[in-house]
Amino acid sequence: MNRMERQRITVLGSTGSVGVSTLDVIARHPERFEVFALSASTRVDEMLAQCHRFAPKFAVMASAPHARLLVDKLRHSGLRTEVLQGAGAIESIASHEDCDAVMAAIVGAAGLGPCLAAARAGKRLLLANKEALVVGGELFMRTVREGGATLLPIDSEHSAIFQSLPEDPDTWPRRIDKIILTASGGPFRTRSPETLAAVTPEQACAHPNWVMGRKISVDSATMMNKALEVIEARHLFDVTPERIEVVIHPQSVVHSMVQFTDASVIAQLGTPDMRVPIAVGLAWPERIESGAAQLDFRQLAALTFDAPDAQLFPGLGLAWHALRAAPGTTAVLNAANEVAVDAFLQHRLRFDRIHAVNMETLEAVLPSNPGSLADLLALDASARAAADAAALRYAA
């Protein structure tokens, strides 16, 4: 691409925390980037404000009623933004020929289809959607390879690993000894397991270090987010599950590490601000200002690292269990967890029973080596039905 041309960016999930941070970084560099398209689920007013600020060519809402409401609000704005609706439209803006890069920040399995569409179209794909890899696994990675897409991880942990590795992926297998994912431990890392039954959604969503959406905040509190990240790392960096380790690092300064075969360790450090990995993904291999505060090493307290407590975070071990099980098991785990977390957020399930729902669903749904998106979506639906039934049995 000519350096004088601005990159045209599609932001999927633009009204969520990662989407908002992405637009903040883009706004800091108007000479480098322009917003081509935005998508959101239900937040019409937030989308309206983004349309006024960035004037995208397309704005997509997940449902027809929300799209009609956005059309009404834009009617007298003078903007030429075209409003679309539905999953097909989201995939269309992710693969559009006039789009250069896609920030994939839709939460949940709903993001898999657009990620596959962007990969097939050979886009620069900034992946903040865990489920594309957790659900899609080898299918997704194969699509990236066959489509000639450039895949850049945006999760702070995977971005840290990516930045710590040599640029030539062909050298990774012989150089990597171990990948070490860091975890803050969330808001309950010092709690006794028996006290978790009384946890409220408000408490679970009050992360001590990061500003995140409600679902991922609950996942951080249970450390299911780290289980999903283990699965992601296995696919992103082509390492066996046994070579992935998780450590508790409450300060969230060291975002993850790579231990090499010579026993040296390279880590990526920074303030806990998602704009840093977003800026890395947008500009790679260059570096641009992100808006995040710089680390002041003179002011840092001690950096500590501990092993996760298996009693406090029983869901973490499900990552290795699912990776060793039949293909598709990680998709079952993801679907079960989405259902269980939603039930908890709606006060229908106790916090300490999220793991029980996940376990029961894994035992109830046996995947049969899904080989297509349709297979994965069918497996996802079966797992959600089983998890719904389990959540009812464990209802608060």
Side-chain angles (χ1 to χ4, degrees):
M1 186 182 68
N2 189 312
R3 283 181 59 85
M4 298 304 292
E5 294 179 357
R6 295 190 296 171
Q7 286 190 60
R8 293 159 295 189
I9 313 295
T10 288
V11 183
L12 307 178
S14 66
T15 61
S17 59
V18 173
V20 169
S21 293
T22 301
L23 292 174
D24 180 83
V25 176
I26 287 173
R28 293 171 186 274
H29 302 276
E31 76 289 353
R32 296 185 65 115
F33 309 112
E34 63 179 284
V35 175
F36 174 73
L38 302 172
S39 84
S41 179
T42 61
R43 298 175 180 173
V44 173
D45 288 337
E46 289 91 332
M47 175 63 88
L48 178 67
Q50 291 176 351
C51 288
H52 278 291
R53 184 174 184 188
F54 295 99
K57 184 176 178 63
F58 299 105
V60 183
M61 301 303 297
S63 71
H66 291 99
R68 286 194 295 269
L69 185 56
L70 180 60
V71 168
D72 289 341
K73 289 177 178 287
L74 283 170
R75 194 175 304 281
H76 302 295
S77 67
L79 293 174
R80 296 183 178 181
T81 298
E82 182 178 350
V83 178
L84 307 172
Q85 62 88 19
I90 297 173
E91 293 185 18
S92 177
I93 62 170
S95 58
H96 198 286
E97 63 180 0
D98 291 336
C99 163
D100 298 311
V102 176
M103 169 58 76
I106 295 175
V107 175
L112 177 57
C115 285
L116 285 169
R120 280 192 297 269
K123 299 303 180 185
R124 184 185 182 99
L125 180 54
L126 283 57
L127 189 65
N129 172 276
K130 289 177 169 38
E131 292 75 15
L133 281 164
V134 175
V135 177
E138 179 51 37
L139 172 66
F140 176 69
M141 293 304 295
R142 184 170 68 247
T143 305
V144 168
R145 292 190 296 270
E146 292 175 352
T150 300
L151 182 62
L152 296 165
I154 300 302
D155 271 351
S156 60
E157 295 81 3
H158 300 103
S159 177
I161 295 163
F162 176 76
Q163 294 176 65
S164 299
L165 286 169
E167 288 192 18
D168 184 2
D170 291 338
T171 69
W172 294 353
R174 68 175 185 268
R175 293 190 183 191
I176 298 174
D177 178 62
K178 183 166 52 177
I179 283 174
I180 305 168
L181 294 168
T182 58
S184 70
F188 307 136
R189 65 180 180 83
T190 60
R191 294 274 291 259
S192 298
E194 59 270 16
T195 68
L196 297 181
V199 163
T200 67
E202 291 69 32
Q203 291 171 327
C205 291
H207 196 281
N209 299 339
W210 296 91
V211 177
M212 304 182 294
R214 284 166 65 79
K215 194 270 182 182
I216 195 172
S217 294
V218 175
D219 282 347
S220 179
T222 63
M223 274 189 69
M224 271 302 301
N225 71 321
K226 213 53 51 177
L228 300 180
E229 287 169 14
V230 168
I231 297 167
E232 282 186 276
R234 183 265 173 275
H235 291 293
L236 278 170
F237 306 111
D238 196 24
V239 296
T240 60
E242 294 74 22
R243 292 164 68 189
I244 305 172
E245 181 179 314
V246 173
V247 297
I248 301 291
H249 171 53
Q251 295 82 19
S252 294
V253 171
V254 176
H255 296 303
S256 277
M257 300 168 272
V258 179
Q259 181 171 298
F260 293 91
T261 51
D262 60 4
S264 64
V265 177
I266 295 180
Q268 187 265 338
L269 285 70
T271 51
D273 190 321
M274 280 303 299
R275 290 176 296 178
V276 175
I278 289 167
V280 170
L282 284 169
W284 188 264
E286 298 181 42
R287 297 278 182 166
I288 58 174
E289 189 266 333
S290 67
Q294 295 184 349
L295 278 180
D296 184 346
F297 286 90
R298 298 165 300 180
Q299 300 298 318
L300 281 181
L303 302 180
T304 60
F305 303 89
D306 295 295
D309 184 331
Q311 284 190 303
L312 192 59
F313 304 115
L316 179 59
L318 294 179
W320 290 271
H321 167 80
L323 284 170
R324 294 184 186 114
T329 303
T330 57
V332 174
L333 174 60
N334 178 76
N337 186 63
E338 285 191 19
V339 169
V341 170
D342 184 63
F344 166 69
L345 288 172
Q346 294 186 36
H347 301 273
R348 295 188 289 106
L349 185 73
R350 280 186 359 207
F351 179 84
D352 63 334
R353 289 176 174 167
I354 292 173
H355 177 63
V357 170
N358 291 341
M359 283 291 297
E360 189 167 313
T361 305
L362 286 172
E363 293 169 359
V365 181
L366 302 177
S368 55
N369 197 17
S372 67
L373 177 58
D375 290 343
L376 288 169
L377 294 178
L379 180 60
D380 178 81
S382 296
R384 288 174 188 276
D388 274 326
L392 281 174
R393 285 191 290 275
Y394 287 104

